[in-house]
Amino acid sequence: MAIERSAFGELPDGTEVASLILHNGSGVVARIITWGGIVAELWCPDRHGEPGDVVLGYDHLEPYLVRHPYFGAICGRVANRIAHARFTLDGQTYQLAANDGGHALHGGLDAFDRKVWAAEGAETADGPALRLTHTSPDGDEGYPGTLDVEVVYTLAGTALRIDYRAVTDRPTPVNLTNHSYFNLAGAGTVRDHVLRLEADGYVPVDADFIPGGEIASLDGTLLDFRQPTPVGERIDRVNENPTGYDHCYVVRGTGLRPCAVLSEPGSGRVMRVETNEPGVQLYTGNFLDGSLTGKRGVRYVKHAGLCLETQHYPDSVNQPAFPTTVLRPGETFTSTTRFAFSAEG
Ligand code: GLA
């Protein structure tokens, strides 16, 4: 097992962005860059042992520096949306950077996906691990308190495990996720991928993707993935402008538990997702429109990849009925998600 460090590029001010490749002989290999903590490559063998890169992204740093749809990035301080970019905590109202209509999305304008994280590699009992750290200062994007964040990527067997930790010196909402777009065929769209979600309910949202506060049953909806279902089967009937899935599912149970199984019949590749988060946002790359060209010159058309963003529900800080995202001094935020790969059939 090993971690190989090399230069990936430089910011305009000369700051180095490093690339770290994690491998352990399992056949699964991950390349993570310190810009945004982005999972830039994730290689997994197909049923014939042929490696394929199963995440969308870029070959070079430059296109990642331009605003991009969060390819592979760590999202925070609060992933997903906060309505009207505003919340009240302990009687004080905070105005955040609004970067999604009038709402806050994925931590704001210059959020965790656009930071160079400090990186330290280690060989652990579970496998090669990359520890990324970042300090978000008090008032960052409007959020209160200095937040120290740690994200550890561990290549454990054929799984990429992500362990998040954060501590604060003032109460603040925290909701961290990884925004990888998966395509287990390594090309084309995810329409033929088969998805199963361990969810009986979801968070209904308005046209701006803002929840009203209730949890609804998936019974009889186009969103129900309790039975393994091709992603493309109902996708054109879900949502409008653009069509596709962009929904937070309520993951059944608590603790580190199964959340999703995604499989691709052509390659035989299977990805099993486990998380201790209460929710997972299924986003099927609905805003991709062929205008971005990614690794190996591939144009990212609509539904070229799908995200399974494990997280708390959107706008939790304004929704008293949702599990809380508020972190207080003296507490430690922890969260774990595993993406485990295999090939079958
Ligand atoms: C998310 C959101 C989507 C979209 C993408 C980024 O996951 O839920 O609506 O904003 O990020 O393109």
Side-chain angles (χ1 to χ4, degrees):
M1 71 185 184
I3 303 173
E4 280 168 42
R5 187 180 183 127
S6 60
F8 191 69
E10 272 183 10
L11 302 191
D13 70 1
T15 307
E16 189 206 58
V17 173
S19 149
L20 296 108
I21 299 179
L22 273 54
H23 50 94
N24 60 3
S26 69
V28 177
V29 178
R31 181 201 287 271
I32 288 138
I33 62 170
T34 53
W35 172 256
I38 289 170
V39 179
E41 294 174 28
L42 190 52
W43 293 87
C44 306
D46 71 2
R47 65 160 69 81
H48 306 297
E50 196 59 45
D53 183 4
V54 299
V55 292
L56 308 193
Y58 295 118
D59 295 310
H60 310 290
L61 180 61
E62 289 63 34
Y64 281 125
L65 300 181
V66 180
R67 283 197 186 278
H68 67 96
Y70 302 91
F71 289 135
I74 297 167
C75 295
R77 192 176 291 200
V78 176
N80 216 316
R81 291 167 179 82
I82 294 182
H84 310 295
R86 198 187 308 129
F87 64 91
T88 300
L89 182 55
D90 298 341
Q92 198 173 332
T93 298
Y94 297 92
Q95 184 63 48
L96 305 170
N99 61 332
D100 191 56
H103 310 293
L105 175 66
H106 294 332
L109 287 162
D110 195 18
F112 294 178
D113 59 296
R114 305 188 60 79
K115 302 292 175 195
V116 177
W117 293 63
E120 200 185 301
E123 306 291 349
T124 71
D126 292 340
L130 173 65
R131 179 172 174 263
L132 300 175
T133 51
H134 172 64
T135 299
S136 168
D138 183 28
D140 196 11
E141 299 289 316
Y143 289 99
T146 305
L147 188 75
D148 284 306
V149 190
E150 174 191 279
V151 178
V152 181
Y153 287 105
T154 305
L155 191 62
T158 61
L160 182 65
R161 192 179 78 220
I162 315 179
D163 294 295
Y164 305 83
R165 280 169 78 88
V167 291
T168 185
D169 62 3
R170 286 175 64 195
T172 181
V174 178
N175 188 20
L176 303 175
T177 195
N178 176 278
H179 208 290
S180 287
Y181 289 69
F182 297 97
N183 180 321
L184 300 181
T189 75
V190 293
R191 282 178 174 273
D192 293 339
H193 285 47
V194 176
L195 179 64
R196 169 176 165 165
L197 290 175
E198 302 298 334
D200 308 305
Y202 75 107
V203 180
V205 292
D206 68 13
D208 276 4
F209 299 102
I210 301 299
E214 71 282 8
I215 302 293
S217 164
L218 288 164
D219 285 344
T221 70
L222 299 170
L223 311 178
D224 191 348
F225 280 98
R226 281 173 286 192
Q227 297 303 321
T229 307
V231 171
E233 193 171 288
R234 301 164 301 190
I235 200 167
D236 299 325
R237 289 185 283 146
V238 175
N239 283 0
E240 282 172 39
N241 303 318
T243 48
Y245 296 94
D246 198 349
H247 296 84
C248 188
Y249 287 78
V250 174
V251 182
R252 190 183 306 126
T254 55
L256 187 63
R257 65 210 186 283
C259 160
V261 183
L262 183 68
S263 57
E264 197 279 303
S267 63
R269 290 194 187 93
V270 179
M271 178 175 82
R272 289 191 167 75
V273 186
E274 288 181 1
T275 188
N276 63 359
E277 285 293 324
V280 61
Q281 181 88 8
L282 168 65
Y283 169 58
T284 47
N286 313 330
F287 294 107
L288 300 176
D289 60 5
S291 60
L292 301 177
T293 300
K295 291 178 278 186
R296 300 171 288 280
V298 176
R299 267 189 341 122
Y300 291 145
V301 297
K302 192 176 183 188
H303 310 317
L306 68 77
C307 305
L308 289 162
E309 308 160 42
T310 54
Q311 57 187 250
H312 276 55
Y313 312 152
D315 202 28
S316 288
V317 71
N318 290 312
Q319 296 295 346
F322 290 177
T324 186
T325 49
V326 175
L327 180 71
R328 294 181 179 277
E331 299 172 346
T332 302
F333 168 92
T334 60
S335 173
T336 297
T337 295
R338 278 178 87 242
F339 297 99
F341 297 90
S342 57
E344 293 171 10

